[in-house]
Amino acid sequence: MKLYDSRRAPNPRRVRWFMAEKGIEDVEIVEVDIFAGQHRTPDYLARTCLPNVPALEMDDGTTITESVAICRYLESVYPEPNLFGVDPREVAIIEMWARRAEMLVATPLMLTVRHSHPALAAIETQIPEVAASNRAAAEKGIRVLDRRLAESPFIAGDRVTIADILAVTGIDFARMARFRPDPELAHVKRWLDEMNARPAAKAGV
Ligand SMILES: N[C@@H](CCC(=O)N[C@@H](CS)C(=O)NCC(=O)O)C(=O)O
């Protein structure tokens, strides 16, 4: 298998972190320079349909994009350690928190960076108001996480799951917009320190 990756981009980092948690080492990493437009070549688009990284090319040549779909596929091929849930109840809880992590925190933070960082003007028509409104939305979303983390060691329960990976990679990327969670959110701080101390946090960064 091949992972089409872009080292500094947050969505590919989700997959690298996920693979590191599972100890997956037999996926070839292919670096795609999105600032040079390598994800927009006819060859790349013929395989992915969308100009996005990450993309995973399976052994039979089937190629998928969408970081969470890629992680789900990898979970099927490499089931341990489990990061998506082991029974219907847990699968539903992890899915709920993964969607919240993505919609309330990670996506708003990515849009904050895309619409404010000078380097990203190369790939985005930047609108300052979009950056500001998404920053405010993410601040609210992180408060939701803080309430959850007051009662739970990790976002979806008592172990690391895909939900934690989605949230932490989004928050980390937002450093590019000088965004840090309010330090008074003690539960988020405790969780971030634990997540960033994991060996998988260093996967490909
Ligand atoms: N929903 C997709 C988003 C993928 C995405 O937006 N990737 C960014 C990098 S983080 C990208 O390919 N950007 C290239 C561009 O916007 O031209 C996923 O989860 O993989």
Side-chain angles (χ1 to χ4, degrees), residues 9-12 14 34 39-40 51-54 66-68 102 114 123:
N11 289 294
R14 296 170 166 183
I34 58 177
H39 61 317
R40 294 186 180 279
N52 278 167
V53 285
E66 298 304 327
S67 52
V68 178
E102 194 159 25
R114 273 186 86 99
I123 58 170

Side-chain angles (χ1 to χ4, degrees), residues 110-191:
M110 287 181 208
L111 288 170
T112 302
V113 177
R114 273 186 86 99
H115 282 270
S116 63
H117 194 282
L120 294 173
I123 58 170
E124 183 62 72
T125 305
Q126 294 183 320
I127 303 171
E129 293 78 7
V130 172
S133 67
N134 278 285
R135 179 182 286 262
E139 275 163 3
K140 273 194 196 164
I142 289 178
R143 287 179 191 281
V144 173
L145 293 191
D146 196 64
R147 290 199 295 277
R148 169 62 174 168
L149 291 164
E151 62 186 30
S152 178
F154 295 97
I155 292 176
D158 60 4
R159 61 187 168 83
V160 168
T161 68
I162 182 72
D164 299 288
I165 296 171
L166 299 179
V168 74
T169 49
I171 291 171
D172 207 43
F173 180 64
R175 285 173 190 270
M176 285 180 69
R178 299 185 198 285
F179 177 93
R180 293 309 293 151
D182 179 345
E184 290 189 0
L185 300 178
H187 308 292
V188 163
K189 183 180 180 324
R190 183 267 304 158
W191 165 81

Side-chain angles (χ1 to χ4, degrees), residues 58-121:
M58 301 174 193
D59 287 337
D60 71 354
T62 304
T63 302
I64 55 169
T65 61
E66 298 304 327
S67 52
V68 178
I70 292 170
C71 291
R72 276 195 185 280
Y73 176 73
L74 292 172
E75 174 99 343
S76 309
V77 179
Y78 306 84
E80 298 297 335
N82 175 284
L83 294 167
F84 273 97
V86 294
D87 58 37
R89 176 183 167 280
E90 200 194 29
V91 167
I93 291 169
I94 292 172
E95 177 75 12
M96 174 181 76
W97 280 110
R99 291 183 67 79
R100 289 174 175 176
E102 194 159 25
M103 291 191 288
L104 302 182
V105 176
T107 300
L109 288 176
M110 287 181 208
L111 288 170
T112 302
V113 177
R114 273 186 86 99
H115 282 270
S116 63
H117 194 282
L120 294 173

